[in-house]
Amino acid sequence: MTAPPPRKRMLTDPQVTPDPAPGFETGSGKPLVSMRAVSKVFSNGTVALKDMTLDVSRGAFVSLLGPSGCGKSTALRIVAGLGDASSGRLVWHDNGTDEAGSRPEIGFVFQEPTLMPWATVFRNVWLPLRLSGRPRNQSRDEIMDALDMVGLANFADAYPRELSGGMRMRVSIARALVTRPKLLLMDEPFAALDEISRFRLNDDLLHLWERFHWTVIFVTHSVFESVYLSQRIVVMAARPGRVVEDMRIDAPYPRDAAFRTSPEYGDNCRRVSTALQAAMGASAA
Amino acid sequence: MTTTEINPTQRPVDDAGAPARTRPLGERILRAAVPVAMLALLVVAWQIYVTANDVPHYILPSPARIAGAFVTDWPVLLTALGVTVRITLLALAIALVGGVLLAIVMAQSRWVELALYPYAVILQVTPIVAIAPLILIYAPTTQSALLICAWIVAFFPILSNTTQGLRSTDHNLLNLFELYGANRWQTLIFLKIPSALPYFLTGLRIAGGLALIAAVVAEFAAGTAGAGSGLAFRLLESQYRLNIPRLFAALVLLSVTGIIIYFITSLISHLLLRNWHESAVRREN
């Protein structure tokens, strides 16, 4: 499998149009969601996000990478519908055309597992279905499927406090998957885990993504994690939060432990790292 | 998805993977025996002191005399106990329902909270002994006055703790509920009320003890004016008549009642929280 040469685009470069060329990403090439000049100003005057324009293709695995305060989580929350943009538009293409549609089913994974401690694993995963009015016995199959995907089918009756940090995060992922979402939004989901658990969850997440091909937007501050997982990395800078670079990682999937030690991985990490350094320099200025 | 970090056949009990242990039988017997032996020792020392020094029974009655008072005055004491317990439990029940409902209303509307909370605080900080005479004037019967006094005191801990609990909901979980389109009632019932439960139970434990204290204080304030036949009234009456053994017997009954109320509220708390809350989970390390 020959990978095309990496392409780099500076959004700050006036000669480049902000919209990616067709087929820029792998996946169908058709966007699922487009952010058009989205800005977010908090009530205290902080510009969390300034004119962010981004098309995310169907089935793509996109990471938002940047230092803290670069607006990556803010962008994710706006896509999720948690808080509105101060200006700009969010366009959904849920019918596969360029026509504006409605927000599809979304799964959201927070940095913390965010489980209800008083509820069993089963009831935690049931929550999204329960809130849409689905009774327990009609949800059982979906819940057990979701638990099966994350390898916790035997822990349906356990309480969150009985589980390790990695297992709690798996429950959180199962809960995000139980509605069979088209779009999975992940806000630094593995940041609080130890490296071994993180590697394992990265691998498991990639396996699931290769199997189901949901669209994933993954927020992280780890160069290594973003290179390992993504097809595309959007590098952001802080003060104000903005996109400074949009990079493609062309390494083929499946990616595994061999990829982690390959020169290709190292090269990509170096490239993204340089871009991140530049972004942080831009933030300080 | 493979999960090798866990053994799916064995439900983990704690981080170390050790099964939950019950205390060894010998230790459990000792835990019950030590307090009983201590109590017996104190009673015997008391009896010996009174007998050896020939202390008059109107100064300090011996345990044997107090036991005698229990036997001879049992009908009077039992009726009095019934009256006090009835007032305490009724006040607690009304405080419980009222406190929880008001807390829920306050959690739903900031304006209601602003309007009502100051009065709840005023009622709480004004000493009940100071308000009791007024209540005795306004209330239709002495019994209802006693009930109002006990209710005022028991009401506040439940209200303030439940309000605090309803406000302390995990923000990430609130975001999650918003993301899945939960309405106000779903958020209240599935999220806010369960997260407020430990706070409410703390309030209930405090209120249980305070309701008894307030019932006794109110009876004292009512004094001989009331058609009082509660334990506190009998206690006062015994004092006037220098029937000190009966006074002690009434005192013992009050203590035992308080202990039982505390035990029951603690048990309720334990049963409701044992599966998930840190306060009810025994540390395993």
Side-chain angles (χ1 to χ4, degrees):
Chain A
M1 207 164 160
T2 52
R7 257 170 79 175
K8 213 157 91 161
R9 242 167 16 108
M10 297 293 288
L11 282 186
T12 43
D13 184 343
Q15 279 131 351
V16 179
T17 53
D19 292 313
F24 171 65
E25 299 166 8
T26 44
S28 70
K30 287 190 173 146
L32 175 71
V33 56
S34 308
M35 298 176 81
R36 300 254 185 269
V38 169
S39 297
K40 176 78 178 181
V41 183
F42 288 133
S43 51
N44 62 8
T46 310
V47 182
L49 203 60
K50 192 170 187 302
D51 288 336
M52 179 165 181
T53 292
L54 184 75
D55 281 308
V56 176
S57 297
R58 250 155 228 286
F61 200 122
V62 181
S63 286
L64 306 184
L65 173 72
S68 51
C70 72
K72 52 194 195 300
S73 293
T74 307
L76 201 69
R77 277 157 194 266
I78 288 172
V79 172
L82 293 168
D84 291 323
S86 308
S87 64
R89 282 190 311 141
L90 199 65
V91 184
W92 294 98
H93 313 279
D94 63 339
N95 42 14
T97 67
D98 284 341
E99 302 292 309
S102 54
R103 193 187 303 271
E105 202 66 64
I106 289 177
F108 199 108
V109 181
F110 294 90
Q111 180 173 350
E112 305 293 325
T114 316
L115 302 176
M116 300 178 290
W118 56 85
T120 59
V121 165
F122 185 93
R123 294 175 77 88
N124 266 292
V125 176
W126 177 29
L127 181 76
L129 299 175
R130 189 185 199 185
L131 290 175
S132 59
R134 288 270 298 280
R136 186 189 173 106
N137 49 9
Q138 282 176 36
S139 315
R140 179 167 293 275
D141 289 348
E142 276 105 320
I143 296 169
M144 292 316 290
D145 277 356
L147 283 175
D148 217 26
M149 280 186 215
V150 299
L152 288 180
N154 288 309
F155 291 86
D157 296 326
Y159 283 86
R161 66 164 188 90
E162 299 172 312
L163 305 177
S164 67
M167 289 160 80
R168 285 178 202 174
M169 194 41 86
R170 285 169 192 275
V171 177
S172 186
I173 293 171
R175 181 182 58 200
L177 298 179
V178 77
T179 55
R180 314 224 160 125
K182 282 187 178 164
L183 177 61
L184 190 58
L185 304 175
M186 307 183 88
D187 189 1
E188 301 190 31
F190 311 138
L193 298 179
D194 61 279
E195 196 165 75
I196 293 167
S197 302
R198 189 163 68 237
F199 281 6
R200 192 171 285 137
L201 276 159
N202 281 341
D203 284 341
D204 291 347
L205 178 65
L206 274 189
H207 286 149
L208 286 173
W209 175 72
E210 283 165 44
R211 203 169 122 204
F212 295 100
H213 265 279
W214 338 279
T215 309
V216 182
I217 306 180
F218 190 97
V219 165
T220 179
H221 54 231
S222 161
V223 169
F224 306 107
E225 192 175 44
S226 62
V227 170
Y228 186 71
L229 294 171
S230 333
Q231 295 172 310
R232 179 182 172 196
I233 298 174
V234 176
V235 181
M236 300 178 71
R239 287 178 294 276
R242 62 198 186 279
V243 174
V244 290
E245 205 151 345
D246 198 337
M247 314 175 84
R248 184 169 165 172
I249 307 296
D250 285 312
Y253 295 87
R255 297 175 182 171
D256 52 21
F259 176 58
R260 269 192 208 288
T261 50
S262 70
E264 190 182 11
Y265 178 68
D267 290 344
N268 277 308
C269 287
R270 199 167 304 122
R271 199 159 61 87
V272 173
S273 211
T274 310
L276 183 62
Q277 288 297 331
M280 288 166 73
S283 301
Chain B
M1 204 158 189
T2 54
T3 316
T4 44
E5 82 217 60
I6 44 167
N7 174 4
T9 56
Q10 188 193 346
R11 193 166 132 165
V13 173
D14 63 359
D15 285 345
R21 290 168 299 261
T22 44
R23 294 177 207 272
L25 185 67
E27 194 193 326
R28 271 189 292 168
I29 291 171
L30 264 182
R31 285 176 70 86
V34 167
V36 172
M38 187 65 203
L39 180 68
L41 199 71
L42 278 175
V43 170
V44 169
W46 178 357
Q47 180 73 45
I48 291 172
Y49 171 77
V50 170
T51 319
N53 294 293
D54 228 359
V55 182
H57 65 79
Y58 50 84
I59 305 278
L60 180 67
S62 70
R65 248 181 203 280
I66 295 170
F70 261 114
V71 173
T72 52
D73 299 343
W74 187 241
V76 177
L77 288 174
L78 195 66
T79 319
L81 178 69
V83 171
T84 302
V85 167
R86 207 176 60 91
I87 287 172
T88 304
L89 293 186
L90 206 56
L92 190 59
I94 300 172
L96 200 142
V97 174
V100 169
L101 286 183
L102 190 58
I104 287 172
V105 172
M106 282 182 177
Q108 297 294 306
S109 159
R110 199 82 199 166
W111 298 113
V112 175
E113 182 176 354
L114 276 173
L116 295 185
Y117 206 71
Y119 297 97
V121 174
I122 289 170
L123 275 182
Q124 166 67 12
V125 296
T126 313
I128 191 66
V129 224
I131 326 175
L134 271 181
I135 294 172
L136 281 160
I137 294 172
Y138 298 140
T141 63
T142 312
Q143 293 301 301
S144 60
L146 300 183
L147 187 63
I148 293 170
C149 287
W151 172 77
I152 287 174
V153 173
F155 176 73
F156 190 79
I158 293 180
L159 175 71
S160 67
N161 275 282
T162 310
T163 308
Q164 176 78 9
L166 289 170
R167 276 208 217 113
S168 308
T169 313
D170 184 340
H171 285 191
N172 280 331
L173 277 170
L174 280 173
N175 279 337
L176 187 82
F177 271 65
E178 189 189 332
L179 188 76
Y180 287 115
N183 62 36
R184 188 178 264 240
W185 288 109
Q186 286 176 319
T187 308
L188 179 70
I189 291 163
F190 297 148
L191 178 59
K192 289 192 171 173
I193 288 178
S195 15
L197 189 64
Y199 294 83
F200 159 76
L201 288 167
T202 304
L204 179 66
R205 273 213 304 269
I206 299 170
L210 284 182
L212 180 65
I213 293 174
V216 168
V217 168
E219 266 185 62
F220 266 81
T224 47
S229 49
L231 268 181
F233 175 79
R234 291 293 167 210
L235 209 143
L236 272 181
E237 184 196 51
S238 311
Q239 187 203 346
Y240 294 145
R241 296 183 181 173
L242 282 183
N243 188 349
I244 305 303
R246 189 199 270 189
L247 189 153
F248 266 89
L251 204 55
V252 168
L253 272 183
L254 276 177
S255 292
V256 169
T257 308
I259 291 167
I260 290 172
I261 290 174
Y262 182 80
F263 180 76
I264 290 173
T265 50
S266 298
L267 185 70
I268 292 171
S269 174
H270 176 76
L271 290 177
L272 288 175
L273 301 182
R274 63 179 165 175
N275 278 324
W276 62 277
H277 199 252
E278 294 299 334
S279 68
V281 175
R282 205 149 70 83
R283 210 151 59 107
E284 292 270 1
N285 55 14

